[in-house]
Amino acid sequence: MIFRQFLAGGLLAASATLLHAEPVTFRYAYQGGLNSLDPYSLNETFSLSALGNVYEGLVRRNAKLELEPALAERWEMLSPVHWRFHLRKDVRFHDGGILTAEDVVFSATRVRSQGSDVGTRLPAGTEVVAVDSHTIDFHLTSPAPALPAEWETWYIMDKEWTEANGAVPVTSASSAAPGAAALKANGTGPYRIISHEPGLKTVYGKNPDWWDATDGLPDRVEFSAVTSGPTRVAALLSGELDMIYPVPVQDIARVDQSPSTQVLSGPELRTLFLGLDQSRDELLYSDVKGSNPFKDVRVRKAVYQAIDTGAITSKIMRGTAEPAALLVSPALFARAGEFSRLPYDPEASRRLLAEAGYPDGFALTLDCPNDRYVNDASICEAVAAMLSKVGIRTRADIQPKAKYFGRILPTGGYDTSFYLFGWTPADFDSLSLLQAVAMCRNTATGEGAFNIGGYCNEQADALIRQLASEEDKDRRADITAQIYTLLNGDVAYIPLHQQKLAWGVSNRFHVEQRADDQFLFRFIRQQ
């Protein structure tokens, strides 16, 4: 009897151990696809976060977005223009190669090479030097007090592996011929790539040799691109998927009320805005010939005042967005409350168009993605209808993000006249945003690389350069306010709103949601 009880107890314990040891798979879907595994191809939050599970930067951010050591265990500023980083000595790439300073130097060269979409991670003119096998110096041409703030998504690549695989050239977002780094990966992160079908599905396996703790992480993660919102929701509710994002705004209550799922929601740091081509002498996609109406601030103001952001946030976003007066989230700029939107006023728009010499309006194309931002296609259709009512006859050209970004970004030659865009500052400050989208375009320095419309104000540029080297908090706020005053006065862009995050998650798992909308597997735990 005792033997039988002991045997039964042993079998039950063994069964429980085996059950606990079964591999855990986490399945999730996003509205768009992961097209390239090259970590320098596309400066887009979803792609960067998907690759941030495979590759790592010298630094990283925790769930609260606080900066912490990653591949670099420590660093110091030896002078305002001289930084030193010390690498961990126990880090290996997925193929077994050891991380060294030469990999960082190589990555600094590659990230600034032709085709890279993230070259602005390093200030122009920065010299990167290997002091020894695990120490790197960064010599700057001017002070940059927040130098590593954006480096979570400057991913370090293996020099030896990249060269051996013929993957040194960066596969740009506009390239139709993917290079080796676009199809396979070799990072240092918590997950390796098991398989990758561009734009469709990517399977990750846990890296048992990761330098950080992997206890409790899923053994396998499967990502699928599911464009249809109803299909994503149905798959989550049926248990086929463990997470989806974004949850369509009309389905948030339904998902949150399900006994097997919940919605993680919170403000996002991204701002959506409209950009206008202000650089070409003639718009590419308009019926106005021989001139560019967007060079006239009255026309830009007319576009702004024809858009009813209140209707967009209430009817299209169903209250899950907040109209924006600036290009940056109020959560990232304490003085944002000092600024307000131009009022919605269609009559004023018509008067401004007439004053500018367009009493009958003109025709225009608005370029938009349909799988990047929450309800992006619907937003663009609404904007097109609003503009058409004041005489700017607007057609919304809506495309998948792979094609869309391939056209409008620098590698596509800024092929647009009017476009929808969104930005989350990687440094969680206004500086990186302003350097990227507000400065006059300069291919030599990388300034204004994402200034797709070619806006240029030298006074704003001088202030942004001043901001880059200013350390005093109050002075930084003053300079930032001056810059936004100039941008708003010029109607450099037309801010729309900050959308809210909505991730649908199975109750089987706990997931940390970051306000920058990056989904990182190291924050997943089985319940």
Side-chain angles (χ1 to χ4, degrees), residues 15 50 245 308 346 367 399 417 483 513:
S15 298
Y245 77 118
D308 186 353
D367 294 308
Q399 303 172 333
S417 295
I483 296 167
Q513 183 183 66

Side-chain angles (χ1 to χ4, degrees), residues 470-486:
E470 180 59 60
E471 295 186 51
D472 181 79
K473 182 179 178 181
D474 292 337
R475 181 60 184 148
R476 287 182 65 83
D478 287 340
I479 296 170
T480 302
Q482 292 178 54
I483 296 167
Y484 285 129
T485 298
L486 286 174

Side-chain angles (χ1 to χ4, degrees), residues 280-423:
R280 291 183 174 93
D281 291 331
E282 180 180 296
L283 293 177
L284 295 176
Y285 304 103
S286 169
D287 65 353
V288 178
K289 303 303 176 186
S291 64
N292 178 350
F294 286 155
K295 285 181 176 286
D296 192 322
V297 68
R298 292 171 296 183
V299 176
R300 301 196 298 272
K301 189 174 180 181
V303 173
Y304 194 132
Q305 294 198 261
I307 298 171
D308 186 353
T309 55
I312 291 173
T313 55
S314 64
K315 296 178 181 178
I316 295 176
M317 300 301 293
R318 301 198 184 192
T320 63
E322 189 67 31
L326 298 177
L327 296 178
V328 71
S329 165
L332 300 177
F333 182 42
R335 290 176 57 178
E338 299 174 12
F339 296 84
S340 58
R341 292 185 54 81
L342 290 175
Y344 167 58
D345 190 340
E347 287 304 316
S349 294
R350 294 185 183 94
R351 287 196 302 271
L352 286 163
L353 287 172
E355 290 174 12
Y358 303 96
D360 299 322
F362 55 91
L364 179 68
T365 296
L366 170 60
D367 294 308
C368 300
N370 62 5
D371 57 356
R372 178 59 195 96
Y373 312 114
V374 177
N375 286 345
D376 41 16
S378 298
I379 291 168
C380 287
E381 289 167 350
V383 167
M386 292 170 183
L387 292 179
S388 295
K389 287 181 179 179
V390 301
I392 304 175
R393 300 174 297 280
T394 306
R395 180 182 72 90
D397 186 1
I398 298 169
Q399 303 172 333
K401 67 173 183 174
K403 185 175 181 180
Y404 174 72
F405 286 132
R407 276 186 54 202
I408 73 164
L409 290 180
T411 52
Y414 305 112
D415 183 15
T416 183
S417 295
F418 188 35
Y419 60 95
L420 177 71
F421 209 51
W423 197 274

Side-chain angles (χ1 to χ4, degrees), residues 449-470:
F450 294 89
N451 181 354
I452 296 165
Y455 166 76
C456 187
N457 182 322
E458 293 183 359
Q459 184 181 356
D461 279 16
L463 287 168
I464 295 169
R465 293 191 184 100
Q466 186 179 347
L467 180 65
S469 58
E470 180 59 60

Side-chain angles (χ1 to χ4, degrees), residues 9-24:
L11 288 172
L12 287 172
S15 298
T17 301
L18 288 172
L19 183 63
H20 183 70
E22 287 182 359
V24 175

